[in-house]
Amino acid sequence: MTRTPSAADWHPASWQRLVAAQQPTYPDREALDRAVADLSRLPPIVTSWEVDALKAHFARAQRGEAFVLQGGDCAESFYDCTSESIVAKLKILLQMSLVMLYGLKKPVIRVGRMAGQYAKPRSADLESRDGLTLPSFRGDLVNRNPFTADDRVPDPQLILRGYERAALTLNFVRSLVDGGFADLHHPEYWDLEWVGHSKMADQYREVVRSISNSLDFLESITGRALHDTQRADVYASHEGLHLSYEQAQTRFLGRRKLWYNLTTHFPWIGMRTATLDGAHVEYFRGIANPIGIKVGASMTPDWLQDLIRVLNPGNEPGRLSLIHRFGASQIEDRLPALIRAVRETGSPVLWVCDPMHGNTESTADGTKTRRFDKIVAELEAAFRVHQSMGSYLGGVHLELTGENVTECTGGARGLTDADLVRAYKSSVDPRLNYEQAMEVAMRIAGIRHNRT
Ligand code: PEP
Ligand code: CO
């Protein structure tokens, strides 16, 4: 059961009493307060019914009855809030989930890193170039990327612009889903150009054929259309980093007697803001959403147990997802102790593997990249370790795009460091491109592509 902290103990702004890491320094505090007040008057982006539905899906995944695919950009950009870019992201999530459904024989819950993934943690507050020092770029919700004093100053109006774009994005996703774009009977709608010339095209078409045949078969023997039950919902998630933004749309729903963050269905606590006595943990403990915690190699078993006790005191199913991101070289050493520690708490959790953030490296010329083989190696190790300990890996968390970028190396086309310059578009972390993402989905589904 969800426990509501008492009003004296918690409210949406109680985090302000504590140290909040990774917050922008706004030169004009009053302008920020005005923007937050404007934001809190706008209607919510998601509803508590949807949030509760996702929590119930996560509870199923915790029991091993479903699998979660969470994916999208490292940082969404305002510039990419376009029809093409949103459709491409939706397509890749739908196609991957179809392949995973086929291979895992379980419902796949789709969660986009989208419709609000606009704020980024940075290792330093300031950045220097050629003797000039300016605030670091913290995502489109906060400031602008070009290295000029005007662009880098945190602008409170951007939280309003970000909220509007998040709403536009989710509105379009919902319309596409409601209009039949996500109907599993018509995966041909999602076909992208690449399928025509990819080395994995044959395997993908085989999966599609097989799923369409099974649906037709089931419908013909039951005499019922599976339309409604088979419709693919898509949920939204982002790192709950910018606490004024999160606070502004945190609402008390009298019907449920609970507080909900209605900017997104599934906010998560990033690795740099999971301090037990920090402001983020304080904020997150009071909301009823399902929440994620990023877990890296620096997380100790005691720390994780304390976080679980604070964030899920009632051991509520579906409430907590632990998104681990150790790196291929560390996962086997680090994960077992944490699985044991979690078990001792008695809290159910959804274990999700993020094979991206522990495997970031720089090429000789300083370009940030990730090697496909390491991503797959961490993922395979995650399945292995969970299985050997009688635990269930219930999801995967990926940075990916529906576009044909060149940001991660390797994969079926064997991209090399030299290919990165060709189409490197991310302003933050390198993402899997369309084919690399499909290849990861096929690996998860147990379908191996025969390299030629
Ligand atoms: C991210 O998910 O983009 C991120 C910054 O991750 P982490 O908190 O795990 O480093
Ligand atoms: Co990232």
Side-chain angles (χ1 to χ4, degrees):
M1 208 195 62
T2 307
R3 293 209 186 142
T4 316
S6 74
D9 180 39
W10 187 93
H11 58 90
S14 60
W15 62 268
Q16 293 184 13
R17 297 190 298 244
L18 301 164
V19 176
Q22 297 286 344
Q23 303 305 291
T25 309
Y26 288 97
D28 182 350
R29 282 298 304 189
E30 281 168 19
L32 174 66
D33 293 344
R34 281 196 301 277
V36 169
D38 284 351
L39 180 52
S40 61
R41 273 195 294 275
L42 297 176
I45 295 182
V46 305
T47 68
S48 62
W49 291 283
E50 294 167 342
V51 171
D52 288 343
L54 182 60
K55 202 194 272 180
H57 284 315
F58 281 174
R60 255 168 248 132
Q62 287 175 343
R63 296 194 299 270
E65 297 161 12
F67 194 82
V68 174
L69 167 63
Q70 185 181 17
D73 294 314
C74 179
E76 281 182 285
S77 93
F78 287 3
Y79 182 78
D80 278 339
C81 183
T82 62
S83 165
E84 295 75 22
S85 163
I86 296 166
V87 166
K89 275 181 232 173
L90 191 58
K91 280 181 179 172
I92 181 69
L93 286 178
L94 291 169
Q95 286 190 344
M96 290 175 79
S97 68
L98 192 66
V99 166
M100 287 157 62
L101 166 80
Y102 171 85
L104 299 172
K105 314 241 174 312
K106 286 181 190 179
V108 175
I109 303 153
R110 304 153 193 89
V111 183
R113 274 179 73 114
M114 67 194 294
Q117 175 51 21
Y118 290 125
K120 295 309 298 173
R122 300 318 300 253
S123 46
D125 266 345
L126 298 171
E127 182 182 342
S128 297
R129 286 190 205 170
D130 304 326
L132 181 62
T133 299
L134 295 173
S136 297
F137 174 57
R138 290 189 169 275
D140 284 1
L141 198 68
V142 173
N143 55 1
R144 300 178 189 85
N145 201 9
F147 195 72
T148 72
D150 271 359
D151 286 309
R152 288 296 177 90
V153 64
D155 175 359
Q157 283 297 311
L158 295 177
I159 65 174
L160 288 160
R161 301 293 85 79
Y163 189 73
E164 291 153 5
R165 279 174 166 74
L168 289 170
T169 303
L170 198 59
N171 178 57
F172 188 44
V173 168
R174 283 203 183 99
S175 308
L176 288 168
V177 168
D178 289 346
F181 182 78
D183 188 334
L184 296 187
H185 292 79
H186 295 289
E188 70 276 10
Y189 293 168
W190 321 334
D191 252 16
L192 287 190
E193 216 188 309
W194 74 274
V195 178
H197 50 74
S198 166
K199 294 179 178 177
M200 288 176 293
D202 289 347
Q203 282 116 315
Y204 177 69
R205 287 194 197 290
E206 182 50 39
V207 170
V208 168
R209 223 180 349 259
S210 161
I211 290 183
S212 299
N213 289 346
S214 328
L215 281 178
D216 291 347
F217 175 69
L218 266 177
E219 286 180 350
S220 66
I221 58 167
T222 60
R224 272 189 304 130
L226 292 175
H227 253 74
D228 291 341
T229 47
Q230 293 305 310
R231 205 193 63 189
D233 286 322
V234 178
Y235 293 93
S237 70
H238 67 247
E239 178 172 350
L241 183 70
H242 191 303
L243 290 174
S244 300
Y245 179 82
E246 307 301 330
Q247 175 198 323
Q249 278 292 336
T250 302
R251 292 162 181 258
F252 187 72
L253 297 191
R255 178 178 55 81
R256 303 277 286 119
K257 300 212 170 17
L258 295 169
W259 291 93
Y260 284 83
N261 177 338
L262 297 179
T263 64
T264 192
H265 301 109
F266 178 49
W268 75 84
I269 306 180
M271 211 195 57
R272 292 159 192 79
T273 48
T275 325
L276 195 60
D277 55 3
H280 289 80
V281 171
E282 169 62 15
Y283 170 75
F284 272 77
R285 85 186 168 91
I287 56 171
N289 302 56
I291 62 175
I293 311 174
K294 287 289 202 94
V295 171
S298 58
M299 177 68 71
T300 62
D302 285 350
W303 180 7
L304 186 56
Q305 286 184 335
D306 286 341
L307 284 171
I308 291 172
R309 289 189 191 110
V310 171
L311 294 167
N312 195 22
N315 288 353
E316 184 196 8
R319 161 75 167 165
L320 271 190
S321 295
L322 301 181
I323 305 165
H324 53 72
R325 30 88 81 227
F326 298 109
S329 61
Q330 298 216 53
I331 181 167
E332 262 148 325
D333 285 346
R334 300 286 171 164
L335 183 55
L338 296 185
I339 294 176
R340 278 190 291 272
V342 169
R343 231 172 237 153
E344 283 169 20
T345 66
S347 168
V349 302
L350 178 67
W351 290 104
V352 176
C353 175
D354 164 0
M356 312 299 294
H357 288 88
N359 293 311
T360 315
E361 51 189 272
S362 292
T363 62
D365 72 2
T367 311
K368 245 194 197 184
T369 191
R370 291 161 172 157
R371 308 200 179 279
F372 185 84
D373 288 346
K374 287 198 178 165
I375 292 168
V376 169
E378 177 159 4
L379 204 47
E380 289 181 346
F383 277 107
R384 219 170 31 242
V385 172
H386 280 288
Q387 193 182 24
S388 74
M389 296 194 59
S391 160
Y392 175 66
L393 181 69
V396 60
H397 178 117
L398 300 167
E399 287 185 343
L400 52 81
T401 163
E403 292 168 58
N404 192 18
V405 299
T406 55
E407 297 172 7
C408 294
T409 56
R413 279 181 200 251
L415 293 184
T416 64
D417 287 3
D419 291 313
L420 296 179
V421 287
R422 199 149 35 83
Y424 198 105
K425 297 196 189 153
S426 173
S427 59
V428 196
D429 287 341
R431 301 160 295 177
L432 294 167
N433 66 21
Y434 200 90
E435 280 189 39
Q436 291 168 330
M438 284 305 290
E439 195 172 351
V440 168
M442 295 212 182
R443 297 287 189 103
I444 292 172
I447 306 163
R448 274 188 186 266
H449 155 249
N450 300 319
R451 287 181 191 226
T452 49

